[in-house]
């Protein structure tokens, strides 16, 4: 199954002190994530920190393979955390899990260090900032965001008191901008996949790679690209 995203593209967070991404990829390797020699993690010329093709690749080349055991997903949560999320939508449950993992990475520190520290996309737009957006498309975007925010606030009310709204909003932003959808037992569930979540995004169906879910979650490039081309999903 090929999975695509429909999130608004935004600039990723600033690079970590380890701008080459080598420490992160070393950690990912220890977690069972396999990456092609063509797959690099570094600052891009126009899109901030993300994934790039380090050399020319061909259609069908496997860039990354992520075991499901390395993913952050609702089905992989500890029992206590899963009990907290039973009444939540899948995306809100994963956002809560992201909040917990960000506060206590427990071995995921190199991955969490690359997560955004402020909300991305429409989750980072507040108050008068919306005035910068004009036109029917943006008005519809704001309407959809307001619906999503109302649902997220309702979910937040069900969470333990140590999860502030600002903290949960960041978790929702991480999920909406970085998660992929995985079909588990016939049900679509959002998952955060280390390394794959560094791929940037496009609207309108434009992409040069796709995620294929089999026994492992893997991303394959679907069109030839030149060296130092950002790897992106739609």
């Amino acid at each position: 199954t090929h999975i695509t995203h429909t999130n608004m593209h935004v600039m990723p967070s600033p690079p970590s002190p380890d701008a080459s991404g080598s420490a992160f990829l070393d950690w990912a390797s220890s977690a069972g994530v396999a990456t092609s020699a063509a797959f690099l993690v570094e600052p891009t010329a126009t899109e901030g920190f993300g994934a790039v093709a380090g050399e020319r690749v061909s259609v069908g080349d496997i860039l990354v393979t992520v075991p499901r055991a390395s993913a952050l997903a609702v089905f992989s949560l500890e029992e206590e955390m899963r009990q907290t999320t039973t009444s939540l939508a899948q995306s809100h449950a994963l956002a809560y899990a992201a909040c917990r993992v960000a506060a206590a990475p427990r071995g995921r520190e190199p991955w969490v260090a690359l997560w955004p520290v402020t909300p991305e996309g429409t989750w980072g737009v507040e108050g008068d900032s919306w005035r910068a957006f004009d036109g029917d498309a943006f008005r519809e975007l704001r309407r959809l965001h307001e619906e999503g925010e109302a649902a997220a606030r309702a979910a937040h009310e069900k969470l333990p008191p140590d999860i502030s709204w600002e903290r949960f909003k960041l978790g929702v932003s991480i999920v909406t901008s970085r998660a992929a959808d995985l079909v588990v037992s016939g049900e679509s569930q959002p998952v955060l996949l280390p390394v794959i979540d560094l791929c940037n995004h496009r609207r309108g169906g434009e992409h040069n790679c796709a995620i294929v879910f089999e026994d492992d979650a893997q991303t394959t490039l679907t069109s030839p690209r030149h060296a130092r081309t950002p790897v992106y999903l739609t």
Side-chain angles (χ1 to χ4, degrees):
T1 303
H2 292 269
I3 308 297
T4 58
H5 295 271
T6 57
N7 302 309
M8 183 176 75
H9 172 70
V10 295
M11 290 294 287
S13 300
S16 73
D18 175 24
S20 69
S22 60
F24 167 67
L25 291 180
D26 286 346
W27 167 83
S29 178
S30 70
V33 179
T35 58
S36 161
F39 189 90
L40 302 177
V41 178
E42 61 182 34
T44 64
T46 60
E47 301 182 75
F49 200 62
V52 301
E55 59 189 55
R56 188 177 180 85
V57 292
S58 300
V59 173
D61 283 358
I62 296 175
L63 298 181
V64 183
T65 302
V66 180
R68 290 187 183 181
S70 299
L72 179 60
V74 175
F75 60 78
S76 64
L77 299 181
E78 297 176 357
E79 182 61 27
E80 181 179 352
M81 193 181 299
R82 192 181 300 116
Q83 289 298 321
T84 304
T85 64
T86 53
S87 64
L88 302 179
Q90 293 284 344
S91 60
H92 296 147
L94 185 57
Y96 171 68
C99 291
R100 289 299 188 202
V101 169
R106 297 182 181 179
R108 295 185 176 101
E109 286 83 356
W111 184 21
V112 172
L114 298 183
W115 290 2
V117 296
T118 56
E120 296 185 323
T122 57
W123 292 97
V125 181
E126 297 181 348
D128 291 342
S129 298
W130 281 105
R131 294 180 180 176
F133 298 93
D134 193 17
D136 292 341
F138 284 115
R139 281 192 288 272
E140 177 65 8
L141 183 66
R142 181 174 184 177
R143 184 189 68 78
L144 292 173
H145 171 77
E146 289 174 345
E147 287 183 359
E149 181 174 341
R153 285 187 179 276
H156 176 252
E157 293 178 357
K158 302 176 183 178
L159 298 180
D162 64 313
I163 303 293
S164 68
W165 164 245
E166 290 301 318
R167 188 176 168 191
F168 184 61
K169 181 170 71 170
L170 176 58
V172 173
S173 166
I174 290 171
V175 170
T176 56
S177 65
R178 300 170 79 89
D181 289 325
L182 172 62
V183 177
V184 179
S185 300
E187 181 183 2
S188 179
Q189 296 187 15
V191 294
L192 288 169
L193 300 165
V195 181
I196 290 179
D197 68 343
L198 289 176
C199 294
N200 287 313
H201 302 268
R202 289 291 189 280
R203 291 181 293 171
E206 183 184 4
H207 62 280
N208 62 11
C209 66
I211 299 174
V212 178
F213 292 108
E214 297 173 352
D215 291 335
D216 293 330
Q218 63 187 26
T219 182
T220 61
L221 204 69
T222 56
S223 61
R225 308 300 297 181
H226 295 286
R228 289 303 187 275
T229 296
V231 177
Y232 52 87
L233 299 164
T234 185

